Short mmCIF file of all heavy atoms in Angstrom, two decimals:
data_model
loop_
_atom_site.label_atom_id
_atom_site.label_comp_id
_atom_site.label_asym_id
_atom_site.label_seq_id
_atom_site.Cartn_x
_atom_site.Cartn_y
_atom_site.Cartn_z
N GLU E 9 77.58 136.02 113.09
CA GLU E 9 79.01 136.30 113.24
C GLU E 9 79.33 137.77 113.49
O GLU E 9 78.45 138.59 113.35
CB GLU E 9 79.68 135.93 111.84
CG GLU E 9 79.55 134.53 111.41
CD GLU E 9 80.70 133.57 111.97
OE1 GLU E 9 81.46 134.05 112.83
OE2 GLU E 9 80.62 132.37 111.73
N GLY E 10 80.58 137.97 113.86
CA GLY E 10 80.99 139.34 114.03
C GLY E 10 82.18 139.40 115.05
O GLY E 10 82.48 138.38 115.73
N THR E 11 82.78 140.53 115.16
CA THR E 11 83.88 140.67 116.14
C THR E 11 83.36 140.85 117.55
O THR E 11 82.17 140.76 117.74
CB THR E 11 84.76 141.92 115.83
OG1 THR E 11 83.93 143.04 115.61
CG2 THR E 11 85.58 141.76 114.48
N GLU E 12 84.23 140.95 118.52
CA GLU E 12 83.89 140.95 119.96
C GLU E 12 82.80 142.05 120.22
O GLU E 12 82.86 143.14 119.72
CB GLU E 12 85.09 141.33 120.89
CG GLU E 12 86.32 140.70 120.56
CD GLU E 12 86.16 139.21 120.24
OE1 GLU E 12 85.71 138.49 121.10
OE2 GLU E 12 86.54 138.86 119.09
N GLY E 13 81.80 141.64 121.05
CA GLY E 13 80.81 142.62 121.62
C GLY E 13 79.91 143.17 120.59
O GLY E 13 79.21 144.21 120.86
N VAL E 14 79.75 142.54 119.38
CA VAL E 14 78.80 143.07 118.37
C VAL E 14 77.35 142.95 118.71
O VAL E 14 76.47 143.58 118.11
CB VAL E 14 79.07 142.55 116.94
CG1 VAL E 14 80.30 143.02 116.25
CG2 VAL E 14 79.04 140.95 116.99
N GLY E 15 77.14 141.95 119.71
CA GLY E 15 75.72 141.75 120.09
C GLY E 15 75.08 140.37 119.55
O GLY E 15 73.87 140.30 119.43
N LYS E 16 75.93 139.42 119.21
CA LYS E 16 75.43 138.11 118.72
C LYS E 16 74.52 137.51 119.83
O LYS E 16 73.41 137.17 119.52
CB LYS E 16 76.58 137.19 118.49
CG LYS E 16 77.40 137.63 117.22
CD LYS E 16 78.55 136.67 117.01
CE LYS E 16 79.63 136.71 118.09
NZ LYS E 16 79.45 135.84 119.24
N THR E 17 75.05 137.40 121.03
CA THR E 17 74.26 136.80 122.09
C THR E 17 72.89 137.52 122.36
O THR E 17 71.97 136.96 122.41
CB THR E 17 75.10 136.74 123.38
OG1 THR E 17 76.34 136.24 123.08
CG2 THR E 17 74.43 135.88 124.44
N THR E 18 72.99 138.82 122.35
CA THR E 18 71.85 139.65 122.57
C THR E 18 70.80 139.40 121.50
O THR E 18 69.58 139.37 121.73
CB THR E 18 72.26 141.13 122.59
OG1 THR E 18 73.32 141.34 123.45
CG2 THR E 18 71.09 142.07 122.95
N ASN E 19 71.23 139.33 120.25
CA ASN E 19 70.30 139.20 119.10
C ASN E 19 69.85 137.81 118.79
O ASN E 19 68.84 137.67 118.11
CB ASN E 19 70.86 139.85 117.93
CG ASN E 19 70.89 141.39 118.00
OD1 ASN E 19 69.79 141.96 118.13
ND2 ASN E 19 72.05 142.03 118.09
N ILE E 20 70.52 136.73 119.38
CA ILE E 20 70.15 135.42 119.14
C ILE E 20 68.75 135.22 119.72
O ILE E 20 67.93 134.46 119.07
CB ILE E 20 71.18 134.39 119.51
CG1 ILE E 20 72.17 134.22 118.46
CG2 ILE E 20 70.64 133.11 120.02
CD1 ILE E 20 73.40 133.39 118.80
N ARG E 38 76.30 126.77 119.27
CA ARG E 38 77.33 127.72 119.18
C ARG E 38 78.72 127.03 118.85
O ARG E 38 78.81 125.88 119.08
CB ARG E 38 77.54 128.51 120.46
CG ARG E 38 78.01 127.70 121.63
CD ARG E 38 78.31 128.68 122.86
NE ARG E 38 78.82 127.88 123.99
CZ ARG E 38 79.09 128.41 125.14
NH1 ARG E 38 78.86 129.70 125.29
NH2 ARG E 38 79.58 127.69 126.14
N GLU E 39 79.63 127.90 118.38
CA GLU E 39 81.00 127.39 118.19
C GLU E 39 82.02 128.41 118.73
O GLU E 39 81.71 129.61 118.65
CB GLU E 39 81.22 127.14 116.70
CG GLU E 39 80.51 125.97 116.16
CD GLU E 39 81.31 125.22 115.10
OE1 GLU E 39 82.31 125.69 114.65
OE2 GLU E 39 80.88 124.16 114.67
N PRO E 40 83.17 128.01 119.17
CA PRO E 40 83.41 126.57 119.55
C PRO E 40 82.49 126.09 120.58
O PRO E 40 82.05 126.84 121.45
CB PRO E 40 84.81 126.57 120.11
CG PRO E 40 85.25 128.05 120.29
CD PRO E 40 84.29 128.91 119.64
N GLY E 41 82.05 124.87 120.47
CA GLY E 41 81.15 124.20 121.38
C GLY E 41 80.09 123.52 120.74
O GLY E 41 80.16 123.11 119.60
N ARG E 50 86.23 124.17 123.73
CA ARG E 50 86.02 125.63 123.88
C ARG E 50 86.72 126.14 125.13
O ARG E 50 87.43 127.18 125.07
CB ARG E 50 84.42 125.93 123.98
CG ARG E 50 84.16 127.33 124.17
CD ARG E 50 82.73 127.66 124.52
NE ARG E 50 82.49 129.04 124.79
CZ ARG E 50 82.06 129.88 123.82
NH1 ARG E 50 81.94 129.52 122.58
NH2 ARG E 50 81.90 131.13 124.19
N LEU E 53 90.33 126.43 124.47
CA LEU E 53 90.69 127.56 123.62
C LEU E 53 90.53 128.92 124.16
O LEU E 53 91.27 129.85 123.87
CB LEU E 53 89.71 127.48 122.32
CG LEU E 53 90.12 126.49 121.29
CD1 LEU E 53 88.91 126.11 120.39
CD2 LEU E 53 91.30 126.90 120.40
N LEU E 54 89.57 129.07 125.11
CA LEU E 54 89.22 130.49 125.56
C LEU E 54 90.03 130.82 126.84
O LEU E 54 90.24 132.02 127.12
CB LEU E 54 87.80 130.63 125.80
CG LEU E 54 86.80 130.60 124.56
CD1 LEU E 54 85.50 131.14 124.98
CD2 LEU E 54 87.37 131.33 123.39
N GLU E 66 95.64 125.97 117.46
CA GLU E 66 94.33 126.59 117.65
C GLU E 66 93.39 126.27 116.53
O GLU E 66 92.22 125.91 116.72
CB GLU E 66 94.64 128.18 117.69
CG GLU E 66 93.35 128.99 118.02
CD GLU E 66 93.74 130.46 118.07
OE1 GLU E 66 94.17 130.88 119.14
OE2 GLU E 66 93.52 131.16 117.07
N LEU E 67 93.97 126.25 115.29
CA LEU E 67 93.11 125.99 114.12
C LEU E 67 92.56 124.56 114.13
O LEU E 67 91.38 124.30 113.92
CB LEU E 67 93.99 126.20 112.88
CG LEU E 67 93.35 125.88 111.50
CD1 LEU E 67 92.15 126.85 111.29
CD2 LEU E 67 94.31 126.05 110.40
N MET E 70 89.84 124.12 116.68
CA MET E 70 88.59 124.72 116.13
C MET E 70 87.88 123.67 115.27
O MET E 70 86.70 123.43 115.39
CB MET E 70 88.78 125.91 115.33
CG MET E 70 89.20 127.15 116.09
SD MET E 70 87.91 127.76 117.26
CE MET E 70 88.86 129.01 118.08
N PHE E 71 88.65 122.96 114.36
CA PHE E 71 88.04 122.05 113.47
C PHE E 71 87.65 120.75 114.21
O PHE E 71 86.77 119.97 113.69
CB PHE E 71 88.83 121.83 112.21
CG PHE E 71 88.54 122.89 111.19
CD1 PHE E 71 89.34 123.96 110.84
CD2 PHE E 71 87.36 122.70 110.39
CE1 PHE E 71 88.98 124.89 109.93
CE2 PHE E 71 87.01 123.63 109.42
CZ PHE E 71 87.81 124.66 109.18
N ARG E 74 84.44 121.36 115.70
CA ARG E 74 83.45 121.48 114.60
C ARG E 74 83.04 120.10 114.15
O ARG E 74 81.86 119.89 113.87
CB ARG E 74 84.05 122.38 113.52
CG ARG E 74 83.12 122.70 112.35
CD ARG E 74 83.59 123.88 111.59
NE ARG E 74 83.62 125.03 112.49
CZ ARG E 74 84.64 125.95 112.49
NH1 ARG E 74 85.57 125.94 111.57
NH2 ARG E 74 84.54 126.95 113.27
N ASP E 95 75.76 130.36 116.71
CA ASP E 95 76.54 131.51 117.14
C ASP E 95 77.98 131.21 116.69
O ASP E 95 78.67 130.44 117.36
CB ASP E 95 76.42 131.76 118.61
CG ASP E 95 77.07 132.93 119.14
OD1 ASP E 95 77.94 133.52 118.38
OD2 ASP E 95 76.78 133.29 120.27
N ARG E 96 78.43 131.74 115.51
CA ARG E 96 79.67 131.47 114.94
C ARG E 96 79.81 130.11 114.26
O ARG E 96 79.30 129.14 114.73
CB ARG E 96 80.85 131.66 115.88
CG ARG E 96 81.06 133.05 116.49
CD ARG E 96 82.37 133.08 117.20
NE ARG E 96 82.51 134.31 118.02
CZ ARG E 96 82.84 135.51 117.35
NH1 ARG E 96 83.04 135.58 116.03
NH2 ARG E 96 83.08 136.54 118.16
N PHE E 97 80.51 130.14 113.16
CA PHE E 97 80.91 128.83 112.48
C PHE E 97 82.19 129.08 111.69
O PHE E 97 82.97 129.97 112.12
CB PHE E 97 79.69 128.38 111.56
CG PHE E 97 79.74 127.04 111.04
CD1 PHE E 97 79.84 125.94 111.88
CD2 PHE E 97 79.81 126.80 109.68
CE1 PHE E 97 79.86 124.63 111.35
CE2 PHE E 97 79.86 125.48 109.14
CZ PHE E 97 79.95 124.40 109.94
N THR E 98 82.30 128.48 110.54
CA THR E 98 83.63 128.52 109.82
C THR E 98 84.01 129.82 109.41
O THR E 98 85.27 130.20 109.22
CB THR E 98 83.59 127.53 108.67
OG1 THR E 98 83.20 126.29 109.21
CG2 THR E 98 84.99 127.31 108.05
N ASP E 99 83.10 130.80 109.13
CA ASP E 99 83.52 132.19 108.83
C ASP E 99 84.40 132.80 109.88
O ASP E 99 85.26 133.57 109.67
CB ASP E 99 82.28 133.10 108.55
CG ASP E 99 81.52 132.66 107.29
OD1 ASP E 99 82.20 132.46 106.32
OD2 ASP E 99 80.27 132.57 107.34
N ALA E 100 84.07 132.34 111.17
CA ALA E 100 84.96 132.93 112.31
C ALA E 100 86.33 132.35 112.08
O ALA E 100 87.28 133.02 112.48
CB ALA E 100 84.31 132.38 113.63
N THR E 101 86.47 131.15 111.59
CA THR E 101 87.86 130.62 111.48
C THR E 101 88.66 131.42 110.32
O THR E 101 89.81 131.76 110.54
CB THR E 101 87.87 129.10 111.03
OG1 THR E 101 86.86 128.44 111.87
CG2 THR E 101 89.15 128.49 111.22
N TYR E 102 87.89 131.69 109.26
CA TYR E 102 88.57 132.51 108.19
C TYR E 102 88.92 133.95 108.83
O TYR E 102 89.99 134.43 108.48
CB TYR E 102 87.69 132.71 106.99
CG TYR E 102 87.68 131.50 106.07
CD1 TYR E 102 86.63 130.61 106.15
CD2 TYR E 102 88.70 131.15 105.20
CE1 TYR E 102 86.58 129.45 105.21
CE2 TYR E 102 88.69 130.14 104.39
CZ TYR E 102 87.60 129.24 104.41
OH TYR E 102 87.65 128.10 103.59
N ALA E 103 87.98 134.47 109.66
CA ALA E 103 88.24 135.82 110.11
C ALA E 103 89.24 135.89 111.21
O ALA E 103 90.23 136.66 111.16
CB ALA E 103 86.98 136.50 110.64
N TYR E 104 89.14 134.93 112.14
CA TYR E 104 90.07 135.06 113.36
C TYR E 104 91.37 134.39 113.06
O TYR E 104 92.51 134.91 113.32
CB TYR E 104 89.42 134.32 114.58
CG TYR E 104 88.49 135.25 115.30
CD1 TYR E 104 87.17 135.43 114.80
CD2 TYR E 104 88.79 136.05 116.42
CE1 TYR E 104 86.27 136.34 115.38
CE2 TYR E 104 87.95 136.90 117.01
CZ TYR E 104 86.65 137.00 116.55
OH TYR E 104 85.76 137.82 117.14
N GLN E 105 91.37 133.15 112.53
CA GLN E 105 92.67 132.46 112.33
C GLN E 105 93.27 132.91 110.99
O GLN E 105 94.46 133.16 110.88
CB GLN E 105 92.47 130.94 112.35
CG GLN E 105 92.39 130.28 113.76
CD GLN E 105 91.12 130.71 114.48
OE1 GLN E 105 90.05 130.62 114.02
NE2 GLN E 105 91.28 131.18 115.77
N ARG E 109 95.05 135.97 112.68
CA ARG E 109 96.23 135.37 113.06
C ARG E 109 97.22 135.30 111.81
O ARG E 109 98.23 134.63 111.79
CB ARG E 109 96.16 133.90 113.52
CG ARG E 109 95.35 133.88 114.74
CD ARG E 109 96.13 133.59 115.99
NE ARG E 109 95.33 133.33 117.19
CZ ARG E 109 95.18 134.12 118.21
NH1 ARG E 109 95.76 135.32 118.25
NH2 ARG E 109 94.42 133.73 119.22
N LEU E 135 77.31 140.75 112.02
CA LEU E 135 77.05 142.04 112.72
C LEU E 135 78.36 142.81 112.71
O LEU E 135 79.35 142.29 113.04
CB LEU E 135 76.54 141.77 114.11
CG LEU E 135 75.37 140.91 114.35
CD1 LEU E 135 74.92 140.88 115.81
CD2 LEU E 135 74.18 141.33 113.44
N ILE E 137 80.57 146.33 113.69
CA ILE E 137 80.68 147.57 114.37
C ILE E 137 82.18 147.97 114.41
O ILE E 137 82.99 147.11 114.33
CB ILE E 137 80.14 147.60 115.81
CG1 ILE E 137 80.73 146.55 116.69
CG2 ILE E 137 78.67 147.64 115.93
CD1 ILE E 137 80.29 146.63 118.16
N LEU E 141 84.36 150.15 119.63
CA LEU E 141 83.01 150.09 120.25
C LEU E 141 82.70 148.74 120.84
O LEU E 141 82.22 148.41 121.90
CB LEU E 141 81.95 150.61 119.32
CG LEU E 141 80.52 150.58 119.72
CD1 LEU E 141 80.33 151.34 121.04
CD2 LEU E 141 79.56 151.04 118.66
N GLY E 142 83.02 147.72 120.01
CA GLY E 142 82.69 146.32 120.32
C GLY E 142 83.49 145.93 121.54
O GLY E 142 83.02 145.30 122.51
N LYS E 144 84.65 147.77 123.85
CA LYS E 144 84.16 148.55 125.02
C LYS E 144 82.90 147.80 125.55
O LYS E 144 82.77 147.56 126.78
CB LYS E 144 83.74 150.02 124.58
CG LYS E 144 83.29 150.85 125.68
CD LYS E 144 83.26 152.31 125.33
CE LYS E 144 82.64 153.26 126.30
NZ LYS E 144 81.23 153.01 126.43
N ARG E 145 81.97 147.49 124.60
CA ARG E 145 80.85 146.77 125.00
C ARG E 145 81.17 145.44 125.69
O ARG E 145 80.65 145.17 126.79
CB ARG E 145 79.89 146.46 123.88
CG ARG E 145 79.08 147.62 123.32
CD ARG E 145 78.19 147.04 122.28
NE ARG E 145 77.56 148.07 121.48
CZ ARG E 145 76.81 147.84 120.38
NH1 ARG E 145 76.77 146.67 119.88
NH2 ARG E 145 76.21 148.79 119.73
N ALA E 146 82.18 144.67 125.16
CA ALA E 146 82.43 143.38 125.70
C ALA E 146 83.16 143.47 127.12
O ALA E 146 82.87 142.78 127.93
CB ALA E 146 83.46 142.65 124.72
N GLU E 148 82.64 145.82 129.27
CA GLU E 148 81.71 146.16 130.30
C GLU E 148 80.96 144.97 130.76
O GLU E 148 80.23 145.01 131.79
CB GLU E 148 80.77 147.27 129.79
CG GLU E 148 81.50 148.62 129.76
CD GLU E 148 80.71 149.67 128.87
OE1 GLU E 148 79.62 149.40 128.41
OE2 GLU E 148 81.27 150.80 128.78
N ARG E 149 80.94 143.86 130.07
CA ARG E 149 80.14 142.70 130.35
C ARG E 149 80.86 141.69 131.07
O ARG E 149 80.32 141.08 132.05
CB ARG E 149 79.64 142.18 128.96
CG ARG E 149 78.59 141.10 129.04
CD ARG E 149 78.77 140.25 127.81
NE ARG E 149 80.22 139.93 127.65
CZ ARG E 149 80.70 139.51 126.52
NH1 ARG E 149 79.95 139.28 125.50
NH2 ARG E 149 81.95 139.22 126.43
N SER E 150 82.10 141.35 130.78
CA SER E 150 82.77 140.22 131.44
C SER E 150 84.37 140.36 131.34
O SER E 150 84.84 141.18 130.63
CB SER E 150 82.35 138.92 130.81
OG SER E 150 82.74 138.93 129.46
N ASP E 153 88.51 136.95 127.75
CA ASP E 153 89.04 135.58 127.56
C ASP E 153 90.31 135.65 126.78
O ASP E 153 90.85 136.80 126.48
CB ASP E 153 87.95 134.74 126.87
CG ASP E 153 87.60 135.17 125.50
OD1 ASP E 153 88.37 135.78 124.76
OD2 ASP E 153 86.38 134.99 125.08
N ARG E 154 90.81 134.53 126.33
CA ARG E 154 92.18 134.54 125.62
C ARG E 154 92.14 135.39 124.38
O ARG E 154 93.13 136.04 124.03
CB ARG E 154 92.62 133.11 125.39
CG ARG E 154 94.08 132.98 124.93
CD ARG E 154 94.49 131.51 124.85
NE ARG E 154 93.81 130.78 123.87
CZ ARG E 154 94.11 130.81 122.56
NH1 ARG E 154 95.16 131.48 122.15
NH2 ARG E 154 93.40 130.12 121.67
N PHE E 155 91.03 135.33 123.60
CA PHE E 155 90.97 136.13 122.42
C PHE E 155 90.77 137.63 122.68
O PHE E 155 91.43 138.42 122.02
CB PHE E 155 89.81 135.61 121.49
CG PHE E 155 90.07 134.28 120.88
CD1 PHE E 155 89.68 133.03 121.48
CD2 PHE E 155 90.73 134.22 119.70
CE1 PHE E 155 89.95 131.85 120.90
CE2 PHE E 155 91.03 132.99 119.01
CZ PHE E 155 90.62 131.78 119.70
N GLU E 156 89.98 137.90 123.63
CA GLU E 156 89.75 139.32 124.03
C GLU E 156 90.95 140.10 124.51
O GLU E 156 91.00 141.29 124.63
CB GLU E 156 88.59 139.40 124.99
CG GLU E 156 87.28 139.10 124.29
CD GLU E 156 86.12 138.84 125.27
OE1 GLU E 156 86.40 138.67 126.52
OE2 GLU E 156 84.96 138.78 124.83
N GLN E 157 92.05 139.24 124.87
CA GLN E 157 93.29 139.92 125.29
C GLN E 157 94.21 140.33 124.14
O GLN E 157 95.25 140.98 124.33
CB GLN E 157 94.09 138.92 126.18
CG GLN E 157 93.34 138.67 127.47
CD GLN E 157 94.11 137.65 128.36
OE1 GLN E 157 95.00 136.85 127.87
NE2 GLN E 157 93.77 137.60 129.59
N PHE E 162 94.70 143.21 115.78
CA PHE E 162 94.14 141.85 115.56
C PHE E 162 92.67 141.95 115.18
O PHE E 162 92.31 141.34 114.15
CB PHE E 162 94.42 140.99 116.73
CG PHE E 162 93.76 139.67 116.75
CD1 PHE E 162 94.33 138.58 116.08
CD2 PHE E 162 92.50 139.47 117.29
CE1 PHE E 162 93.76 137.27 116.10
CE2 PHE E 162 91.98 138.21 117.35
CZ PHE E 162 92.55 137.13 116.66
N PHE E 163 91.92 142.71 115.97
CA PHE E 163 90.50 142.71 115.72
C PHE E 163 90.15 143.50 114.47
O PHE E 163 89.14 143.21 113.84
CB PHE E 163 89.79 143.31 117.00
CG PHE E 163 89.87 142.45 118.15
CD1 PHE E 163 90.71 142.76 119.22
CD2 PHE E 163 89.18 141.23 118.17
CE1 PHE E 163 90.87 141.97 120.33
CE2 PHE E 163 89.38 140.41 119.28
CZ PHE E 163 90.17 140.78 120.31
N TYR E 170 85.88 139.52 108.00
CA TYR E 170 84.49 139.31 107.85
C TYR E 170 83.93 140.10 106.62
O TYR E 170 83.10 139.60 105.84
CB TYR E 170 83.78 139.77 109.12
CG TYR E 170 83.67 138.65 110.26
CD1 TYR E 170 84.12 138.94 111.47
CD2 TYR E 170 83.12 137.42 109.88
CE1 TYR E 170 84.01 137.92 112.48
CE2 TYR E 170 83.05 136.41 110.84
CZ TYR E 170 83.53 136.63 112.12
OH TYR E 170 83.45 135.70 113.10
N ASP E 185 74.55 146.64 110.30
CA ASP E 185 75.20 147.70 111.08
C ASP E 185 74.80 147.64 112.56
O ASP E 185 73.67 148.04 112.97
CB ASP E 185 74.87 149.11 110.49
CG ASP E 185 75.57 150.22 111.27
OD1 ASP E 185 76.20 149.97 112.35
OD2 ASP E 185 75.37 151.34 110.91
N ALA E 186 75.61 147.07 113.39
CA ALA E 186 75.27 146.74 114.79
C ALA E 186 75.71 147.89 115.75
O ALA E 186 75.55 147.74 116.91
CB ALA E 186 75.93 145.41 115.22
N SER E 187 76.13 149.03 115.10
CA SER E 187 76.43 150.12 116.00
C SER E 187 75.22 150.90 116.25
O SER E 187 75.12 151.79 117.22
CB SER E 187 77.49 151.03 115.40
OG SER E 187 76.97 151.61 114.15
N LYS E 188 74.08 150.60 115.64
CA LYS E 188 72.78 151.35 115.86
C LYS E 188 72.10 150.87 117.11
O LYS E 188 72.49 149.83 117.70
CB LYS E 188 71.80 150.96 114.69
CG LYS E 188 72.24 151.44 113.26
CD LYS E 188 71.14 150.97 112.38
CE LYS E 188 71.36 151.26 110.89
NZ LYS E 188 70.33 150.69 110.11
N PRO E 189 71.14 151.61 117.65
CA PRO E 189 70.44 151.25 118.82
C PRO E 189 69.79 149.78 118.62
O PRO E 189 69.48 149.49 117.45
CB PRO E 189 69.32 152.30 119.02
CG PRO E 189 69.88 153.41 118.25
CD PRO E 189 70.68 152.95 117.07
N LEU E 190 69.67 149.01 119.64
CA LEU E 190 69.30 147.60 119.59
C LEU E 190 67.96 147.47 118.79
O LEU E 190 67.92 146.52 117.92
CB LEU E 190 69.08 147.10 120.95
CG LEU E 190 68.99 145.58 121.12
CD1 LEU E 190 70.11 144.88 120.33
CD2 LEU E 190 69.02 145.25 122.54
N ASN E 191 66.93 148.35 118.94
CA ASN E 191 65.76 148.18 118.17
C ASN E 191 65.90 148.26 116.69
O ASN E 191 65.32 147.54 115.92
CB ASN E 191 64.66 149.15 118.65
CG ASN E 191 63.91 148.68 119.81
OD1 ASN E 191 63.95 147.47 120.10
ND2 ASN E 191 63.25 149.56 120.54
N VAL E 193 68.82 147.62 115.14
CA VAL E 193 69.53 146.41 114.72
C VAL E 193 68.54 145.25 114.48
O VAL E 193 68.61 144.55 113.52
CB VAL E 193 70.57 146.01 115.72
CG1 VAL E 193 71.34 144.70 115.36
CG2 VAL E 193 71.62 147.09 115.93
N1 LIG X 301 86.72 131.77 117.38
C1 LIG X 301 87.73 131.70 116.59
O1 LIG X 301 88.81 132.28 116.78
N2 LIG X 301 87.59 130.83 115.51
C2 LIG X 301 86.50 130.18 115.25
O2 LIG X 301 86.46 129.41 114.31
C3 LIG X 301 85.43 130.27 116.19
C4 LIG X 301 85.48 131.14 117.24
C5 LIG X 301 84.08 129.55 115.95
C6 LIG X 301 84.56 132.76 121.40
O3 LIG X 301 83.47 133.28 120.73
C7 LIG X 301 85.84 133.12 120.67
O4 LIG X 301 86.16 132.08 119.74
C8 LIG X 301 85.72 134.38 119.88
C9 LIG X 301 86.30 134.06 118.51
C10 LIG X 301 86.85 132.64 118.68
N3 LIG X 301 86.60 135.31 120.37
N4 LIG X 301 86.43 135.92 121.47
N5 LIG X 301 86.36 136.33 122.49
P1 LIG X 301 82.14 133.89 121.45
O5 LIG X 301 81.19 134.06 120.33
O6 LIG X 301 81.75 133.08 122.47
O7 LIG X 301 82.66 135.19 122.11
P2 LIG X 301 82.51 136.72 121.70
O8 LIG X 301 82.79 137.06 120.38
O9 LIG X 301 83.39 137.29 122.73
O10 LIG X 301 81.04 137.01 121.90
P3 LIG X 301 80.57 137.87 122.91
O11 LIG X 301 81.57 138.59 123.72
O12 LIG X 301 79.69 137.02 123.66
O13 LIG X 301 79.88 139.03 122.15
P4 LIG X 301 78.43 139.13 121.56
O14 LIG X 301 77.69 137.90 121.83
O15 LIG X 301 78.68 139.53 120.11
O16 LIG X 301 77.88 140.43 122.29
P5 LIG X 301 76.74 140.49 123.42
O17 LIG X 301 77.19 139.77 124.66
O18 LIG X 301 75.45 140.15 122.85
O19 LIG X 301 76.73 142.08 123.66
C11 LIG X 301 77.91 142.70 124.28
C12 LIG X 301 77.40 143.89 125.12
O20 LIG X 301 76.86 144.88 124.29
C13 LIG X 301 76.18 143.51 126.06
O21 LIG X 301 76.31 144.11 127.23
C14 LIG X 301 74.91 143.96 125.34
O22 LIG X 301 73.92 144.33 126.19
C15 LIG X 301 75.49 145.20 124.61
N6 LIG X 301 74.82 145.47 123.34
C16 LIG X 301 74.47 144.52 122.32
N7 LIG X 301 73.90 145.24 121.25
C17 LIG X 301 73.87 146.49 121.53
C18 LIG X 301 73.34 147.68 120.83
N8 LIG X 301 72.83 147.57 119.61
N9 LIG X 301 73.57 148.87 121.51
C19 LIG X 301 74.13 148.91 122.66
N10 LIG X 301 74.56 147.84 123.44
C20 LIG X 301 74.44 146.62 122.81
#
Side-chain angles (χ1 to χ4, degrees):
E9 298 275 0
T11 49
E12 318 315 299
V14 285
K16 292 177 292 88
T17 311
T18 308
N19 286 297
I20 274 177
R38 68 174 180 181
E39 289 214 351
R50 178 188 177 90
L53 281 161
L54 296 196
E66 183 176 281
L67 178 64
M70 289 295 172
F71 272 103
R74 184 161 299 140
D95 184 344
R96 296 193 187 280
F97 192 62
T98 307
D99 292 316
T101 316
Y102 282 104
Y104 280 80
Q105 282 66 50
R109 301 256 188 253
L135 305 189
I137 53 174
L141 176 58
K144 181 167 175 290
R145 283 186 190 169
E148 283 164 3
R149 190 211 43 200
S150 59
D153 62 31
R154 194 173 62 84
F155 287 93
E156 287 164 349
Q157 292 178 342
F162 171 84
F163 294 108
Y170 274 126
D185 178 356
S187 64
K188 294 181 186 173
L190 193 51
N191 274 344
V193 175

